C-alpha cells in the first residue's frame, strides 16, 4: 500500500492493521499520522503473528509531517524504515521484529518507547536521533550505528 506525495494517512486509536505476507507493507511518500492513546493504542502487525519478518513494515520516504505515538509494531522485517524524515516517535512498542527502527537522516526524537525481542532495536546509517527514556530489553543488539 502506498501513500502518495501530498496525501496524509491518518490512523485512529484502536486500529489494528494486519499485513498478510512477508512482501506486504506500507510505503509513505506523503505523511503518516498514527496517534494512539494510552488505553487505545494502534497496532501494526502480521496476520500470522508467527515471528519476525512475517510482513515488510512501514517505510517513510521524505514523509514530511509524519508522527507516530502510542503504536505497536510486531512481527515485521522492520517496524519503521525512515529516510529523510524529521519526526517524533513516542510511547511506541517494537516487539518481535527483525529491526525495530531503521533510519537515515532525521532528526528524529525517540522517547518513552520499548524495544523487546528484536534482532536489532534501532539501526542507524548517517542518522541524527535524540533518544531519551526508552527501554531496550532482550534484543540481540540494542542500538547499531553504521
Amino acid at each position: 500500500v502506498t501513500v502518495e506525495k501530498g496525501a496524509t494517512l491518518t490512523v485512529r486509536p484502536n486500529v489494528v492493521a494486519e499485513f498478510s505476507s512477508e512482501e506486504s507493507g506500507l510505503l509513505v511518500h506523503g505523511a503518516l499520522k498514527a496517534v494512539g492513546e494510552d488505553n487505545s493504542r494502534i497496532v501494526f502487525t502480521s496476520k500470522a503473528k508467527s515471528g519476525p519478518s512475517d510482513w515488510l513494515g512501514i517505510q517513510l520516504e521524505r514523509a514530511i509531517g509524519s508522527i507516530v505515538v502510542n503504536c505497536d509494531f510486531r512481527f515485521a522485517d522492520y517496524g519503521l524504515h525512515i529516510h529523510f524524515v524529521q519526526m517524533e516517535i513516542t510511547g511506541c512498542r517494537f516487539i518481535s521484529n527483525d529491526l525495530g527502527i531503521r533510519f537515515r537522516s532525521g532528526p528524529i526524537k525517540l522517547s518513552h518507547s520499548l524495544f523487546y525481542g528484536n534482532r536489532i532495536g534501532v539501526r542507524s546509517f548517517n542518522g541524527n536521533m535524540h533518544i531519551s527514556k526508552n527501554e531496550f530489553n532482550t534484543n540481540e543488539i540494542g542500538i547499531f550505528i553504521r
Side-chain angles (χ1 to χ4, degrees):
V1 175
T2 301
V3 178
E4 297 295 340
K5 187 175 181 178
T8 299
L9 173 61
T10 302
V11 184
R12 304 218 183 269
N14 289 320
V15 167
V16 176
E18 293 182 328
F19 295 84
S20 61
S21 77
E22 60 192 35
E23 297 169 359
S24 63
L26 182 61
L27 175 60
V28 181
H29 292 288
L32 172 65
K33 295 189 185 276
V35 180
E37 298 171 1
D38 286 338
N39 296 325
S40 53
R41 302 181 67 80
I42 296 168
V43 178
F44 298 98
T45 189
S46 69
K47 190 171 184 173
K49 296 174 186 58
S50 64
S53 302
D54 277 355
W55 66 290
L56 197 53
I58 298 175
Q59 184 171 342
L60 295 109
E61 294 284 341
R62 301 187 193 304
I64 297 167
S66 293
I67 184 169
V68 179
V69 177
N70 292 326
C71 295
D72 294 351
F73 300 86
R74 298 174 186 246
F75 309 115
D77 193 28
Y78 47 80
L80 290 173
H81 188 168
I82 305 165
H83 289 163
F84 306 104
V85 181
Q86 179 178 337
M87 67 181 295
E88 182 178 328
I89 302 165
T90 305
C92 293
R93 297 186 290 219
F94 298 86
I95 300 171
S96 298
N97 302 290
D98 188 53
L99 290 138
I101 297 175
R102 178 180 183 176
F103 78 101
R104 180 176 182 180
S105 188
I108 297 171
K109 289 184 181 179
L110 173 65
S111 65
H112 300 93
S113 294
L114 169 68
F115 294 82
Y116 182 85
N118 304 288
R119 186 175 64 82
I120 299 174
V122 173
R123 180 177 185 260
S124 171
F125 176 73
N126 289 334
N128 177 354
M129 179 180 274
H130 180 265
I131 301 172
S132 65
K133 300 179 182 176
N134 298 284
E135 180 180 343
F136 291 82
N137 193 341
T138 320
N139 301 287
E140 193 174 316
I141 299 170
I143 300 173
F144 176 64
I145 300 170
R146 236 181 102 197

